[in-house]
Amino acid sequence: MLAMNKTKILGIASVAIMATIAVTSCKDKRSTGWEYAPNMYEHLAYDPDQPNPNFKDGKTAQKPPAGTIPVGFTTFDYPNTKEGLALAEAEVKSPLTESAANLAEGKELFESFCMPCHGKNGQGDGLVVAHGFPPPPSYSKGQSSRGGAMKDLTDGRIYHTITYGLNAMGSYASQLAPEERWKVIMYVHQLQKQQ
Ligand code: HEC
């Protein structure tokens, strides 16, 4: 009697399991199954790449209105021209005050982004120069290819250089945020005093 019950229970259990498998596996293969909060999968808002009848050009991603800038964005209205450089040199001053913390961060950033070429002490003897890269002039003893002694380069002139690059030196605008550039510049000013 007991043995009968056991086989019966086993039988019912296996039928139930097979039925579950049959019901759940025969659905659309791409289905996510039972969805909790379906708005998370099929949300009401438009995706940026979706067509959108609410705008004239039918696109969801709209260009920002002309003349607007993102929140927190710092502009630098000095073009990469001789005039832009001269204006930046005369007008642009660092907004940071010199402090041990700013200098320490400037040194760290310099050693990551500038030292490979400019060298630890800014003497134009970095590691890649040892491998044949054209050497930049020494910050303290060299002459700029644009005229003037490197030791006299101003805040604005160095900021312009980091932002746009110069000949073999690329722009570091995408690697260094404006505040980080100012910290690097603070440290470069120290290297300009190297003996
Ligand atoms: C890939 C190598 C390389 C890296 C990295 C590099 N520089 Fe330069 N830099 C140069 C070279 C080469 C010159 C000289 C370019 C010329 O005068 O033609 C130069 C020139 C300069 C000048 C002189 C500008 C002038 O008006 O003459 C400054 C200032 C300067 N770099 C700052 C920096 C700072 C700050 C960093 C780091 C954020 C940096 N550089 C990273 C290669 C590099």
Side-chain angles (χ1 to χ4, degrees):
M1 187 67 183
L2 194 71
M4 264 285 277
N5 269 350
K6 261 192 185 165
T7 31
K8 224 177 173 181
I9 292 167
L10 263 177
I12 291 169
S14 39
V15 166
I17 290 170
M18 272 153 67
T20 315
I21 293 173
V23 167
T24 55
S25 65
C26 291
K27 279 172 114 195
D28 173 11
K29 286 238 160 43
R30 292 171 56 87
S31 163
T32 50
W34 185 69
E35 289 175 3
Y36 171 73
N39 273 0
M40 285 173 61
Y41 301 88
E42 313 212 4
H43 47 90
L44 301 172
Y46 287 93
D47 282 328
D49 58 350
Q50 264 180 332
N52 191 324
N54 299 311
F55 291 110
K56 255 196 223 140
D57 62 359
K59 295 175 182 165
T60 299
Q62 294 291 302
K63 273 204 188 118
T68 56
I69 53 165
V71 173
F73 187 84
T74 312
T75 52
F76 182 63
D77 297 325
Y78 299 88
N80 189 13
T81 58
K82 228 176 152 188
E83 296 75 40
L85 178 75
L87 262 181
E89 190 165 8
E91 295 177 355
V92 180
K93 299 267 175 299
S94 174
L96 302 183
T97 40
E98 203 168 309
S99 73
N102 280 344
L103 262 176
E105 206 175 314
K107 178 173 196 271
E108 200 174 317
L109 291 166
F110 178 87
E111 290 183 350
S112 302
F113 291 101
C114 323
M115 192 172 81
C117 297
H118 285 273
K120 192 169 175 52
N121 296 315
Q123 296 303 305
D125 54 356
L127 197 64
V128 298
V129 172
H131 290 270
F133 191 83
S138 151
Y139 284 142
S140 53
K141 304 181 192 92
Q143 289 291 316
S144 163
S145 67
R146 294 191 276 204
M150 290 287 282
K151 69 173 171 43
D152 298 328
L153 297 191
T154 60
D155 276 354
R157 171 95 165 242
I158 305 175
Y159 193 93
H160 191 283
T161 308
I162 298 176
T163 305
Y164 295 112
L166 170 63
N167 301 325
M169 174 181 156
S171 159
Y172 285 81
S174 60
Q175 279 102 327
L176 295 168
E179 197 177 307
E180 292 174 319
R181 287 175 226 172
W182 286 121
K183 288 174 181 167
V184 171
I185 291 166
M186 202 179 278
Y187 187 67
V188 169
H189 283 321
Q190 283 225 325
L191 298 178
Q192 288 174 304
K193 296 176 202 140
Q194 279 275 327
Q195 288 308 301

mmCIF file of all heavy atoms in Angstrom, residues 63-97:
data_model
loop_
_atom_site.group_PDB
_atom_site.id
_atom_site.type_symbol
_atom_site.label_atom_id
_atom_site.label_comp_id
_atom_site.label_asym_id
_atom_site.label_seq_id
_atom_site.Cartn_x
_atom_site.Cartn_y
_atom_site.Cartn_z
ATOM 1 N N LYS A 63 19.811 68.723 -31.233
ATOM 2 C CA LYS A 63 21.022 69.531 -30.973
ATOM 3 C C LYS A 63 20.678 70.584 -29.938
ATOM 4 O O LYS A 63 19.587 71.168 -29.992
ATOM 5 C CB LYS A 63 21.438 70.237 -32.264
ATOM 6 C CG LYS A 63 22.325 69.410 -33.131
ATOM 7 C CD LYS A 63 23.163 70.324 -34.034
ATOM 8 C CE LYS A 63 23.916 69.490 -35.033
ATOM 9 N NZ LYS A 63 23.549 69.792 -36.421
ATOM 10 N N PRO A 64 21.602 70.873 -28.973
ATOM 11 C CA PRO A 64 21.311 71.943 -28.024
ATOM 12 C C PRO A 64 21.209 73.271 -28.760
ATOM 13 O O PRO A 64 21.871 73.456 -29.782
ATOM 14 C CB PRO A 64 22.510 71.941 -27.080
ATOM 15 C CG PRO A 64 23.452 70.920 -27.567
ATOM 16 C CD PRO A 64 22.885 70.238 -28.768
ATOM 17 N N PRO A 65 20.398 74.192 -28.276
ATOM 18 C CA PRO A 65 20.273 75.487 -28.950
ATOM 19 C C PRO A 65 21.628 76.176 -29.063
ATOM 20 O O PRO A 65 22.475 76.023 -28.174
ATOM 21 C CB PRO A 65 19.355 76.291 -28.019
ATOM 22 C CG PRO A 65 18.651 75.271 -27.192
ATOM 23 C CD PRO A 65 19.570 74.094 -27.075
ATOM 24 N N ALA A 66 21.828 76.927 -30.158
ATOM 25 C CA ALA A 66 23.112 77.584 -30.397
ATOM 26 C C ALA A 66 23.464 78.502 -29.235
ATOM 27 O O ALA A 66 22.582 79.171 -28.677
ATOM 28 C CB ALA A 66 23.033 78.385 -31.686
ATOM 29 N N GLY A 67 24.745 78.505 -28.850
ATOM 30 C CA GLY A 67 25.206 79.416 -27.808
ATOM 31 C C GLY A 67 25.029 78.892 -26.402
ATOM 32 O O GLY A 67 25.392 79.563 -25.444
ATOM 33 N N THR A 68 24.457 77.692 -26.248
ATOM 34 C CA THR A 68 24.306 77.146 -24.889
ATOM 35 C C THR A 68 25.490 76.240 -24.568
ATOM 36 O O THR A 68 26.123 75.684 -25.476
ATOM 37 C CB THR A 68 23.009 76.338 -24.743
ATOM 38 O OG1 THR A 68 22.996 75.312 -25.731
ATOM 39 C CG2 THR A 68 21.779 77.206 -24.908
ATOM 40 N N ILE A 69 25.801 76.093 -23.279
ATOM 41 C CA ILE A 69 26.884 75.194 -22.866
ATOM 42 C C ILE A 69 26.364 74.271 -21.775
ATOM 43 O O ILE A 69 25.449 74.633 -21.041
ATOM 44 C CB ILE A 69 28.121 75.972 -22.349
ATOM 45 C CG1 ILE A 69 27.712 76.967 -21.258
ATOM 46 C CG2 ILE A 69 28.863 76.656 -23.454
ATOM 47 C CD1 ILE A 69 28.882 77.502 -20.466
ATOM 48 N N PRO A 70 26.957 73.071 -21.655
ATOM 49 C CA PRO A 70 26.515 72.155 -20.601
ATOM 50 C C PRO A 70 26.795 72.751 -19.214
ATOM 51 O O PRO A 70 27.734 73.537 -19.060
ATOM 52 C CB PRO A 70 27.379 70.906 -20.825
ATOM 53 C CG PRO A 70 27.961 71.052 -22.181
ATOM 54 C CD PRO A 70 28.032 72.498 -22.471
ATOM 55 N N VAL A 71 25.983 72.360 -18.243
ATOM 56 C CA VAL A 71 26.177 72.840 -16.871
ATOM 57 C C VAL A 71 27.583 72.465 -16.408
ATOM 58 O O VAL A 71 28.033 71.329 -16.620
ATOM 59 C CB VAL A 71 25.127 72.199 -15.934
ATOM 60 C CG1 VAL A 71 25.416 72.549 -14.477
ATOM 61 C CG2 VAL A 71 23.726 72.665 -16.314
ATOM 62 N N GLY A 72 28.296 73.398 -15.834
ATOM 63 C CA GLY A 72 29.625 73.100 -15.288
ATOM 64 C C GLY A 72 30.741 73.154 -16.318
ATOM 65 O O GLY A 72 31.893 72.910 -15.997
ATOM 66 N N PHE A 73 30.392 73.456 -17.578
ATOM 67 C CA PHE A 73 31.413 73.478 -18.627
ATOM 68 C C PHE A 73 32.161 74.808 -18.610
ATOM 69 O O PHE A 73 31.552 75.861 -18.487
ATOM 70 C CB PHE A 73 30.737 73.276 -19.987
ATOM 71 C CG PHE A 73 31.676 73.115 -21.138
ATOM 72 C CD1 PHE A 73 32.226 71.880 -21.421
ATOM 73 C CD2 PHE A 73 32.025 74.195 -21.934
ATOM 74 C CE1 PHE A 73 33.096 71.723 -22.485
ATOM 75 C CE2 PHE A 73 32.900 74.048 -23.000
ATOM 76 C CZ PHE A 73 33.433 72.808 -23.257
ATOM 77 N N THR A 74 33.490 74.753 -18.692
ATOM 78 C CA THR A 74 34.275 75.989 -18.720
ATOM 79 C C THR A 74 34.667 76.294 -20.155
ATOM 80 O O THR A 74 35.260 75.448 -20.822
ATOM 81 C CB THR A 74 35.567 75.808 -17.885
ATOM 82 O OG1 THR A 74 35.211 75.241 -16.638
ATOM 83 C CG2 THR A 74 36.265 77.127 -17.670
ATOM 84 N N THR A 75 34.334 77.489 -20.610
ATOM 85 C CA THR A 75 34.683 77.825 -21.991
ATOM 86 C C THR A 75 36.093 78.424 -22.038
ATOM 87 O O THR A 75 36.611 78.908 -21.036
ATOM 88 C CB THR A 75 33.700 78.865 -22.581
ATOM 89 O OG1 THR A 75 33.628 79.961 -21.675
ATOM 90 C CG2 THR A 75 32.328 78.282 -22.787
ATOM 91 N N PHE A 76 36.691 78.364 -23.201
ATOM 92 C CA PHE A 76 37.997 78.976 -23.424
ATOM 93 C C PHE A 76 37.907 79.607 -24.804
ATOM 94 O O PHE A 76 38.070 78.936 -25.818
ATOM 95 C CB PHE A 76 39.095 77.895 -23.356
ATOM 96 C CG PHE A 76 40.490 78.432 -23.524
ATOM 97 C CD1 PHE A 76 41.026 79.316 -22.605
ATOM 98 C CD2 PHE A 76 41.276 78.037 -24.596
ATOM 99 C CE1 PHE A 76 42.313 79.812 -22.750
ATOM 100 C CE2 PHE A 76 42.576 78.511 -24.743
ATOM 101 C CZ PHE A 76 43.091 79.404 -23.816
ATOM 102 N N ASP A 77 37.581 80.924 -24.820
ATOM 103 C CA ASP A 77 37.256 81.575 -26.082
ATOM 104 C C ASP A 77 38.476 82.156 -26.776
ATOM 105 O O ASP A 77 38.447 83.300 -27.240
ATOM 106 C CB ASP A 77 36.201 82.674 -25.852
ATOM 107 C CG ASP A 77 34.900 82.071 -25.331
ATOM 108 O OD1 ASP A 77 34.576 80.950 -25.763
ATOM 109 O OD2 ASP A 77 34.228 82.711 -24.498
ATOM 110 N N TYR A 78 39.547 81.398 -26.791
ATOM 111 C CA TYR A 78 40.769 81.874 -27.455
ATOM 112 C C TYR A 78 41.117 80.853 -28.522
ATOM 113 O O TYR A 78 41.518 79.737 -28.198
ATOM 114 C CB TYR A 78 41.905 82.024 -26.446
ATOM 115 C CG TYR A 78 41.579 83.034 -25.370
ATOM 116 C CD1 TYR A 78 40.907 82.645 -24.217
ATOM 117 C CD2 TYR A 78 41.905 84.370 -25.528
ATOM 118 C CE1 TYR A 78 40.579 83.565 -23.230
ATOM 119 C CE2 TYR A 78 41.589 85.300 -24.552
ATOM 120 C CZ TYR A 78 40.921 84.894 -23.408
ATOM 121 O OH TYR A 78 40.593 85.812 -22.451
ATOM 122 N N PRO A 79 40.929 81.198 -29.805
ATOM 123 C CA PRO A 79 41.138 80.209 -30.862
ATOM 124 C C PRO A 79 42.603 79.793 -30.996
ATOM 125 O O PRO A 79 43.500 80.455 -30.457
ATOM 126 C CB PRO A 79 40.647 80.932 -32.121
ATOM 127 C CG PRO A 79 40.703 82.382 -31.804
ATOM 128 C CD PRO A 79 40.528 82.510 -30.322
ATOM 129 N N ASN A 80 42.794 78.698 -31.703
ATOM 130 C CA ASN A 80 44.146 78.171 -31.918
ATOM 131 C C ASN A 80 44.816 78.920 -33.065
ATOM 132 O O ASN A 80 45.094 78.354 -34.119
ATOM 133 C CB ASN A 80 44.061 76.665 -32.205
ATOM 134 C CG ASN A 80 45.436 76.033 -32.218
ATOM 135 O OD1 ASN A 80 46.414 76.652 -31.785
ATOM 136 N ND2 ASN A 80 45.510 74.813 -32.724
ATOM 137 N N THR A 81 45.024 80.210 -32.859
ATOM 138 C CA THR A 81 45.682 81.050 -33.858
ATOM 139 C C THR A 81 46.725 81.894 -33.130
ATOM 140 O O THR A 81 46.753 81.937 -31.898
ATOM 141 C CB THR A 81 44.685 82.034 -34.507
ATOM 142 O OG1 THR A 81 44.106 82.835 -33.455
ATOM 143 C CG2 THR A 81 43.577 81.326 -35.248
ATOM 144 N N LYS A 82 47.545 82.580 -33.917
ATOM 145 C CA LYS A 82 48.576 83.450 -33.326
ATOM 146 C C LYS A 82 47.930 84.515 -32.446
ATOM 147 O O LYS A 82 48.393 84.794 -31.330
ATOM 148 C CB LYS A 82 49.339 84.144 -34.471
ATOM 149 C CG LYS A 82 50.826 84.062 -34.296
ATOM 150 C CD LYS A 82 51.563 84.667 -35.464
ATOM 151 C CE LYS A 82 52.889 85.169 -34.894
ATOM 152 N NZ LYS A 82 53.661 85.941 -35.809
ATOM 153 N N GLU A 83 46.808 85.078 -32.955
ATOM 154 C CA GLU A 83 46.111 86.139 -32.204
ATOM 155 C C GLU A 83 45.502 85.557 -30.939
ATOM 156 O O GLU A 83 45.561 86.165 -29.863
ATOM 157 C CB GLU A 83 44.995 86.771 -33.054
ATOM 158 C CG GLU A 83 45.472 87.508 -34.292
ATOM 159 C CD GLU A 83 45.917 86.571 -35.416
ATOM 160 O OE1 GLU A 83 45.247 85.538 -35.637
ATOM 161 O OE2 GLU A 83 46.953 86.851 -36.060
ATOM 162 N N GLY A 84 44.905 84.357 -31.071
ATOM 163 C CA GLY A 84 44.280 83.694 -29.916
ATOM 164 C C GLY A 84 45.312 83.433 -28.833
ATOM 165 O O GLY A 84 45.056 83.636 -27.640
ATOM 166 N N LEU A 85 46.517 83.010 -29.256
ATOM 167 C CA LEU A 85 47.589 82.735 -28.293
ATOM 168 C C LEU A 85 48.020 84.019 -27.591
ATOM 169 O O LEU A 85 48.159 84.053 -26.366
ATOM 170 C CB LEU A 85 48.785 82.096 -29.012
ATOM 171 C CG LEU A 85 49.992 81.805 -28.126
ATOM 172 C CD1 LEU A 85 49.731 80.592 -27.239
ATOM 173 C CD2 LEU A 85 51.255 81.569 -28.954
ATOM 174 N N ALA A 86 48.191 85.087 -28.383
ATOM 175 C CA ALA A 86 48.641 86.353 -27.808
ATOM 176 C C ALA A 86 47.626 86.896 -26.805
ATOM 177 O O ALA A 86 47.990 87.377 -25.724
ATOM 178 C CB ALA A 86 48.872 87.374 -28.928
ATOM 179 N N LEU A 87 46.323 86.763 -27.154
ATOM 180 C CA LEU A 87 45.265 87.244 -26.257
ATOM 181 C C LEU A 87 45.231 86.414 -24.967
ATOM 182 O O LEU A 87 45.145 86.963 -23.865
ATOM 183 C CB LEU A 87 43.901 87.142 -26.937
ATOM 184 C CG LEU A 87 43.362 88.403 -27.584
ATOM 185 C CD1 LEU A 87 41.995 88.120 -28.190
ATOM 186 C CD2 LEU A 87 43.250 89.548 -26.564
ATOM 187 N N ALA A 88 45.329 85.090 -25.123
ATOM 188 C CA ALA A 88 45.305 84.198 -23.955
ATOM 189 C C ALA A 88 46.492 84.525 -23.047
ATOM 190 O O ALA A 88 46.375 84.568 -21.822
ATOM 191 C CB ALA A 88 45.341 82.741 -24.398
ATOM 192 N N GLU A 89 47.639 84.748 -23.680
ATOM 193 C CA GLU A 89 48.868 85.040 -22.942
ATOM 194 C C GLU A 89 48.688 86.305 -22.082
ATOM 195 O O GLU A 89 49.117 86.372 -20.944
ATOM 196 C CB GLU A 89 49.992 85.261 -23.953
ATOM 197 C CG GLU A 89 51.342 85.342 -23.348
ATOM 198 C CD GLU A 89 52.429 85.191 -24.407
ATOM 199 O OE1 GLU A 89 52.126 85.179 -25.612
ATOM 200 O OE2 GLU A 89 53.581 85.076 -24.006
ATOM 201 N N ALA A 90 48.001 87.305 -22.664
ATOM 202 C CA ALA A 90 47.839 88.578 -21.967
ATOM 203 C C ALA A 90 46.716 88.538 -20.933
ATOM 204 O O ALA A 90 46.818 89.160 -19.884
ATOM 205 C CB ALA A 90 47.556 89.677 -22.989
ATOM 206 N N GLU A 91 45.637 87.815 -21.239
ATOM 207 C CA GLU A 91 44.430 87.947 -20.409
ATOM 208 C C GLU A 91 44.174 86.818 -19.429
ATOM 209 O O GLU A 91 43.580 87.033 -18.375
ATOM 210 C CB GLU A 91 43.195 88.030 -21.329
ATOM 211 C CG GLU A 91 43.152 89.263 -22.192
ATOM 212 C CD GLU A 91 41.940 89.254 -23.122
ATOM 213 O OE1 GLU A 91 41.186 88.258 -23.158
ATOM 214 O OE2 GLU A 91 41.768 90.256 -23.824
ATOM 215 N N VAL A 92 44.576 85.578 -19.787
ATOM 216 C CA VAL A 92 44.126 84.428 -18.992
ATOM 217 C C VAL A 92 45.035 84.199 -17.784
ATOM 218 O O VAL A 92 46.255 84.077 -17.925
ATOM 219 C CB VAL A 92 44.070 83.155 -19.876
ATOM 220 C CG1 VAL A 92 43.606 81.959 -19.067
ATOM 221 C CG2 VAL A 92 43.129 83.385 -21.044
ATOM 222 N N LYS A 93 44.397 84.191 -16.617
ATOM 223 C CA LYS A 93 45.163 83.962 -15.380
ATOM 224 C C LYS A 93 44.568 82.771 -14.646
ATOM 225 O O LYS A 93 43.363 82.542 -14.710
ATOM 226 C CB LYS A 93 45.067 85.183 -14.451
ATOM 227 C CG LYS A 93 45.616 86.476 -15.039
ATOM 228 C CD LYS A 93 47.072 86.673 -14.648
ATOM 229 C CE LYS A 93 47.711 87.882 -15.315
ATOM 230 N NZ LYS A 93 47.771 87.861 -16.792
ATOM 231 N N SER A 94 45.390 82.054 -13.923
ATOM 232 C CA SER A 94 44.906 80.890 -13.175
ATOM 233 C C SER A 94 43.902 81.317 -12.106
ATOM 234 O O SER A 94 44.136 82.276 -11.381
ATOM 235 C CB SER A 94 46.075 80.176 -12.506
ATOM 236 O OG SER A 94 45.569 79.146 -11.682
ATOM 237 N N PRO A 95 42.781 80.580 -12.019
ATOM 238 C CA PRO A 95 41.807 80.900 -10.975
ATOM 239 C C PRO A 95 42.170 80.248 -9.635
ATOM 240 O O PRO A 95 41.497 80.476 -8.642
ATOM 241 C CB PRO A 95 40.508 80.290 -11.524
ATOM 242 C CG PRO A 95 40.965 79.154 -12.382
ATOM 243 C CD PRO A 95 42.326 79.502 -12.904
ATOM 244 N N LEU A 96 43.231 79.439 -9.620
ATOM 245 C CA LEU A 96 43.580 78.707 -8.391
ATOM 246 C C LEU A 96 44.604 79.481 -7.568
ATOM 247 O O LEU A 96 45.444 80.196 -8.108
ATOM 248 C CB LEU A 96 44.175 77.335 -8.723
ATOM 249 C CG LEU A 96 43.333 76.371 -9.548
ATOM 250 C CD1 LEU A 96 44.066 75.051 -9.706
ATOM 251 C CD2 LEU A 96 41.984 76.148 -8.891
ATOM 252 N N THR A 97 44.530 79.299 -6.252
ATOM 253 C CA THR A 97 45.573 79.878 -5.412
ATOM 254 C C THR A 97 46.586 78.778 -5.122
ATOM 255 O O THR A 97 46.225 77.602 -5.008
ATOM 256 C CB THR A 97 45.015 80.409 -4.081
ATOM 257 O OG1 THR A 97 44.048 79.491 -3.616
ATOM 258 C CG2 THR A 97 44.385 81.773 -4.239
#
